[in-house]
């Protein structure tokens, strides 16, 4: 029976841990508290004054900035943030909350969990490659494509909040993000390596696959060389773009067929560094994926010809182009985490459930054609499909297009952020704003919007008010006013028939 060690944290509060290692990372050994509500992770190597000062700021100043403000409770689900510092036998340790149950595998791998991962953490790497998805993971662990969008939204939101506080993660990768594709949840871990520009330099360069090209290209220069590039908010932006691409397409955006050097280490350095090139670059095809080199378990997802990045829709295509074409070697042009969040949210509103019950992805992004089809299983959409084009008021009586569409499916909800452009579906939502304002149904061969709580809902085409509890029929060309408030929206219906 292992001993229970009782300590006093630097802030004066009691801490206890069971003297038995339950996990070991690259830098720390991890121990459970007696009730398993938190863990204590001790650094193996002695930490200098700067490291201790950084940790004190992370567990106090920066933690207060994020969690002890309005909406702070929201962020507790998106980070595993260290709460206290302890010292024991000359070693520095951090106290962190235990990961929630949904971040551990409940089934694990196929064939009665032949890999033995049941009960282990859902590290993002398990879900970011076609091989892992197709060859190893049990179907119960995979989730569906819609859930991966929710995961990417949450990661983007968490990174956006870090950057707003002036912090960079420095090692943003699927190694340091836990995800749960069965619920769409995600949490950023290993917060203790946060970089504060001008105060705390990074401890590591990052994780291979996610290190920005400029960091790899200059890694041999002395740290004080002005040309040397170290992890920062700009490199986080690259890592975030890579992560979104991998979680949605299950392949790496830069790992194509181009060989730069016969020496594998040198080739890796060039292909991820100074010579990095998007595998789906619109004008330079030299790094295209060589399908003959792929394993059967990587197909079809790893073949960009069969599943191009355009399946993610127009908003994300622009974001991937900005990240991997325009700014791959120009960090100042990289999209922000907030821009990723917005593009992902808009894309979610373009999604349709696939009508093939056996389709693994279960969802696809509307391709803006008159004959929509799922790009993953090839199933064509059958029936009528309402497409709602959103316009909003900038001044009374005048509506302008928002470059925003809402796809309709049976039992889909209409939310306040659809009704008014001044409301965003993020951590600032009130409880009232989280409630649906209406819902869509297909009834008696007609598409209907049922008004749940919109006082201004009006069928502008027929010139009549739609009381709460009543429906308005969605027909081609119909104009529906959702709200008369500032930022209130007008819908113009477009019916696609297949």
């Amino acid at each position: 029976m292992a001993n229970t060690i009782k300590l006093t944290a630097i802030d004066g509060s009691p801490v206890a841990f069971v003297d038995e290692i339950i996990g070991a990372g690259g830098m720390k050994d991890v121990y459970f508290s007696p009730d398993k509500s938190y863990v204590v992770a001790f650094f193996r190597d002695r930490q200098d004054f700067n490291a201790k000062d950084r940790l004190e700021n992370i567990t106090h100043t920066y933690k207060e900035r994020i969690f002890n403000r309005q909406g702070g409770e929201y962020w507790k689900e998106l980070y595993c943030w260290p709460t206290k510092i302890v010292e024991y036998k000359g070693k520095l340790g951090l106290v962190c909350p235990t990961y929630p149950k949904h971040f551990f595998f409940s089934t694990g791998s196929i064939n009665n969990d032949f890999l033995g991962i049941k009960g282990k953490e859902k590290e993002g790497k398990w879900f970011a490659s076609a091989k892992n998805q197709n060859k190893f993971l049990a179907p119960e662990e995979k989730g569906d494509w819609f859930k991966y969008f929710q995961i990417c939204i949450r990661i983007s939101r968490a990174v956006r909040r870090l950057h707003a506080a002036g912090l960079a993660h420095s090692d943003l990768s699927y190694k340091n993000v836990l995800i749960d594709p069965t619920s769409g949840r995600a949490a950023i871990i290993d917060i203790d390596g946060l970089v504060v520009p001008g105060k705390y330099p990074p401890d590591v360069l990052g994780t291979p696959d996610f290190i920005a090209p400029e960091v790899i290209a200059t890694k041999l220069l002395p740290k004080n060389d002005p040309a040397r590039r170290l992890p920062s908010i700009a490199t986080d932006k690259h890592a975030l773009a890579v992560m979104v691409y991998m979680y949605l397409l299950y392949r790496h955006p830069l790992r194509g067929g181009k060989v730069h050097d016969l020496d594998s280490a040198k080739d890796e350095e060039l292909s991820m560094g100074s010579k990095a090139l998007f595998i789906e670059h619109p004008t330079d095809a030299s790094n295209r994926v060589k399908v003959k080199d792929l394993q059967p378990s990587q197909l079809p997802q790893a073949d960009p010809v069969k599943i191009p990045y355009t399946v993610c829709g127009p908003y994300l295509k622009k974001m991937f182009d900005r990240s991997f074409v325009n700014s791959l070697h120009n960090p100042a042009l990289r999209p922000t985490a907030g821009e990723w969040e917005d593009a992902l949210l808009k894309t979610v509103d373009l999604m349709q459930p696939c009508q093939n019950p056996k389709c693994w992805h279960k969802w696809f992004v509307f391709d803006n054609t008159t004959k929509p089809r799922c790009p993953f299983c090839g199933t064509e959409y059958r029936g009528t499909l309402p497409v709602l084009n959103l316009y909003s008021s900038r001044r009374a009586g005048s509506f302008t297009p928002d470059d925003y569409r809402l796809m309709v499916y049976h039992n889909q909800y209409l939310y306040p952020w659809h009704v008014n452009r001044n409301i965003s579906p993020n951590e600032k939502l009130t409880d009232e704003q989280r409630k649906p304002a209406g819902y869509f149904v297909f009834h008696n061969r007609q598409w209907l919007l049922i008004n749940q709580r919109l006082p201004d809902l009006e069928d502008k085409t027929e010139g009549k008010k739609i009381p709460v509890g009543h429906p308005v029929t969605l027909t081609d060309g119909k104009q529906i006013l959702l709200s008369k408030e500032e930022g209130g929206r007008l819908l113009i219906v477009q019916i696609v028939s297949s």
Side-chain angles (χ1 to χ4, degrees):
M1 189 77 176
N3 294 328
T4 296
I5 310 296
K6 296 183 178 180
L7 305 171
T8 300
I10 286 178
D11 66 3
S13 61
V15 172
F17 69 93
V18 178
D19 194 11
E20 183 176 26
I21 295 176
I22 59 156
M27 299 170 67
K28 300 185 289 288
D29 294 321
V30 185
Y31 302 79
F32 263 136
S33 65
D35 65 357
K36 297 186 177 180
S37 65
Y38 60 86
V39 297
V40 183
F42 286 100
F43 290 91
R44 293 190 204 99
D45 297 332
R46 184 173 292 277
Q47 301 297 295
D48 61 17
F49 173 81
N50 278 339
K52 187 173 180 180
D53 186 55
R54 183 218 301 260
L55 295 176
E56 285 177 347
N57 274 280
I58 289 169
T59 56
H60 181 65
T61 306
Y62 303 124
K63 179 168 153 287
E64 297 274 317
R65 278 185 198 171
I66 291 176
F67 297 104
N68 287 8
R69 294 188 179 181
Q70 186 178 7
E73 280 296 312
Y74 178 87
W75 300 110
K76 290 181 180 176
E77 279 197 8
L78 297 189
Y79 305 108
C80 183
W81 202 282
T83 57
K84 302 173 186 178
I85 302 173
V86 294
E87 290 188 79
Y88 180 65
K89 292 185 175 179
K91 291 185 177 180
L92 208 60
L94 284 173
V95 176
C96 298
T98 305
Y99 303 145
K101 186 179 179 181
H102 52 257
F103 288 133
F104 295 88
F105 284 110
S106 58
T107 304
S109 52
I110 59 171
N111 299 334
N112 293 316
D113 189 33
F114 83 103
L115 290 178
I117 58 174
K118 181 178 178 180
K120 294 188 177 178
E121 299 159 12
K122 292 182 181 180
E123 248 187 47
K125 68 177 182 180
W126 285 108
F127 307 95
S129 80
K131 183 177 179 179
N132 284 343
Q133 289 274 9
N134 296 333
K135 191 173 183 178
F136 299 127
L137 284 184
E140 300 91 333
E141 302 285 8
K142 291 182 179 181
D144 58 53
W145 210 39
F146 194 96
K147 297 293 194 310
Y148 287 89
F149 275 85
Q150 292 179 311
I151 285 165
C152 291
I153 288 167
R154 287 183 166 95
I155 295 170
S156 300
R157 191 170 286 156
V159 174
R160 186 247 298 162
R161 185 65 188 89
L162 283 181
H163 291 178
L167 303 169
H169 187 280
S170 82
D171 191 11
L172 193 62
S173 70
Y174 51 43
K175 181 172 69 75
N176 291 325
V177 175
L178 299 177
I179 71 171
D180 176 27
T182 66
S183 67
R185 286 179 281 197
I188 294 179
I189 62 174
D190 274 12
I191 302 289
D192 53 277
L194 288 178
V195 172
V196 183
K199 185 168 184 180
Y200 301 121
D203 286 333
V204 295
L205 293 184
T207 298
D209 277 346
F210 299 90
I211 305 173
E214 67 272 15
V215 174
I216 293 176
T218 64
K219 68 179 183 179
L220 297 180
L221 297 175
K223 271 198 173 183
N224 57 357
D225 189 316
R228 176 79 185 268
R229 294 293 175 262
L230 295 170
S232 64
I233 287 175
T235 65
D236 274 1
K237 291 176 184 177
H238 171 78
L240 176 61
V242 172
M243 208 179 309
V244 171
Y245 185 93
M246 293 187 77
Y247 281 144
L248 297 183
L249 295 163
Y250 317 117
R251 58 179 182 253
H252 194 280
L254 307 180
R255 292 197 178 279
K258 190 169 188 175
V259 176
H260 298 277
D261 198 288
L262 295 178
D263 178 87
S264 59
K266 184 65 177 173
D267 182 61
E268 171 75 4
E269 183 181 320
L270 291 170
S271 62
M272 292 290 111
S274 60
K275 300 293 185 182
L277 180 67
F278 186 29
I279 61 172
E280 299 184 80
H281 195 288
T283 59
D284 187 342
S286 61
N287 195 32
R288 292 286 189 262
V289 171
K290 293 180 180 176
V291 180
K292 65 179 177 63
D293 294 336
L294 298 177
Q295 299 174 19
S297 61
Q298 294 176 280
L299 297 171
Q301 296 97 329
D303 181 359
V305 173
K306 289 189 176 175
I307 302 181
Y309 72 125
T310 50
V311 301
C312 296
Y315 303 117
L316 290 182
K317 179 191 180 299
K318 288 178 185 175
M319 295 293 284
F320 289 136
D321 285 343
R322 286 178 60 190
S323 298
F324 304 131
V325 179
N326 304 334
S327 68
L328 187 60
H329 298 285
N330 192 342
L333 298 180
R334 286 175 187 153
T336 65
E339 288 177 302
W340 277 107
E341 183 185 353
D342 290 342
L344 287 158
L345 286 165
K346 278 186 168 183
T347 303
V348 163
D349 281 333
L350 287 180
M351 294 184 80
Q352 273 289 311
C354 179
Q355 293 177 328
N356 175 8
K358 294 183 179 179
C359 178
W360 174 62
H361 283 74
K362 294 184 172 56
W363 294 82
F364 66 95
V365 177
F366 176 60
D367 59 4
N368 201 28
T369 68
T370 55
K371 293 188 178 296
R373 62 188 289 276
C374 174
F376 306 112
C377 69
T379 302
E380 290 188 4
Y381 182 88
R382 296 288 181 217
T384 58
L385 179 63
V387 182
L388 307 183
N389 296 286
L390 276 58
Y391 294 70
S392 61
S393 61
R394 267 63 173 179
R395 63 178 190 274
S398 173
F399 289 87
T400 54
D402 284 336
D403 184 30
Y404 189 6
R405 281 177 152 184
L406 178 62
M407 305 304 300
V408 173
Y409 50 88
H410 185 62
N411 287 334
Q412 182 194 16
Y413 287 115
L414 180 79
Y415 284 100
W417 55 86
H418 299 130
V419 174
N420 192 306
R421 70 178 174 87
N422 294 328
I423 299 172
S424 297
N426 57 28
E427 75 281 359
K428 296 177 183 176
L429 286 175
T430 65
D431 288 341
E432 195 66 17
Q433 290 170 339
R434 295 177 194 275
K435 296 176 183 175
Y439 63 95
F440 301 94
V441 292
F442 188 65
H443 180 69
N444 287 340
R445 303 183 72 175
Q446 288 185 314
W447 283 102
L448 306 173
L449 167 59
I450 312 298
N451 185 5
Q452 285 184 283
R453 51 193 195 95
L454 293 172
D456 298 334
L457 189 65
E458 183 179 348
D459 183 334
K460 297 295 285 186
T461 301
E462 297 187 16
K464 63 181 184 182
K465 298 269 191 180
I466 310 297
V468 171
H470 288 246
V472 56
T473 306
L474 305 181
T475 55
D476 196 46
K478 179 165 284 190
Q479 298 187 13
I480 302 170
L481 180 67
L482 299 179
S483 171
K484 292 179 180 177
E485 295 176 344
E486 182 185 349
R489 281 202 167 105
L490 177 79
L491 298 181
I492 298 183
V493 182
Q494 179 184 351
I495 299 291
V496 175
S497 298
S498 298

